[in-house]
Amino acid sequence: EELRKVAQTTKLSEGGMADYRTALAGLSQEMQNIPTEKLTHFSEVAGLLGGRSVSEITKFTETMAKLDRIDDIGAEGPTQIGRLLTNLHEGLDTVPKFAAVFHTLKTDTKASAQEILNMASVLTQATSRMNMTSTAVTAMAAGLAQMDMDPGLAASAMGKAFSQIYDAALQGSQGMDELTRSLGMNRMEFLKLLEEHPEQAMYNFLNVIRQLQKEGKSPTPLLTLFNLQDLEAQRVLGIASKNLPKLLQKDRLGQEAKSKADKGGKSDLDVEFEKAQKQVNDSSAAISNAFNQLKQSVGAGLAPIVVPVMQAVSGAVNLVTNAFQALPHSLQVVASTSLVL
């Protein structure tokens, strides 16, 4: 049934499905603690998002399995990530690099993976006019999510700010004159920055607001010149400007993770996943060894009485082991510690 769904969504040919089954068997062998039905579900999602080649589908499946195990991206996570990359015109083939960046930011952010993805999804839509990269969007989303802002409210205000600033940079305005004067650059220089690195232009804008606040001045007159005087925009931009160092830190971390991913080699996500796999395998082995020692300690003399009981317990142990392996990584850590205790 699972393979039939994969065939339907990916539209792979008969030969393509044969190659996929081979690739899936390889993945299942490498990721022994990930249920095969979960892997096929990720492949199905890849097909729904436009994945058509076996290599693209397999890589998406592998990466989502790692993110799901380590960062707990939730049931909607794979779809959100795929749509985000599609909307930014980066494609599913960039998923491994995106995952490396996302994991780095998630590890440094006091917000859940779902909160970051929810913020990134609406922010991508709200800033569709700008040339944002997934790294820039995710870093900004992580920073805003950590500020405990409502995703819809934050994205709406940031999207409006981007649009108003861009229009002012294109046409020229009193607001743009004041902004560029504060930044020490001319309008065309700011416009170039806005078109090539829109997130940096926004951080410059927030810094001007931050400086006004630090000087005890109200940023409302400047925001009014950009038609951003509504309470929603003032609240979001005010909070963001006060927390600008955090936003800049997320941006730096994201860019560093992307640069590392571009160079190839194992990402931090790969390393964490390998550790998690080893921990699960070690814990499963510990359960099995403890059970074997129990059987040996019973002795042959009681075998006629104990063997039927032990067979029943063996089935229970297998169920416990399988259930343990299906847990998210964070819960496996707790469960394995409890078992040891």
Side-chain angles (χ1 to χ4, degrees), residues 277-291:
Q277 289 282 86
K278 184 178 185 302
Q279 184 178 37
V280 173
N281 290 335
D282 289 347
S283 298
S284 298
I287 294 172
S288 179
N289 289 337
F291 179 61

Side-chain angles (χ1 to χ4, degrees), residues 313-333:
V313 174
S314 178
V317 169
N318 288 335
L319 286 173
V320 170
T321 301
N322 291 337
F324 176 81
Q325 292 176 345
L327 289 172
H329 175 53
S330 57
L331 294 182
Q332 286 176 358
V333 173

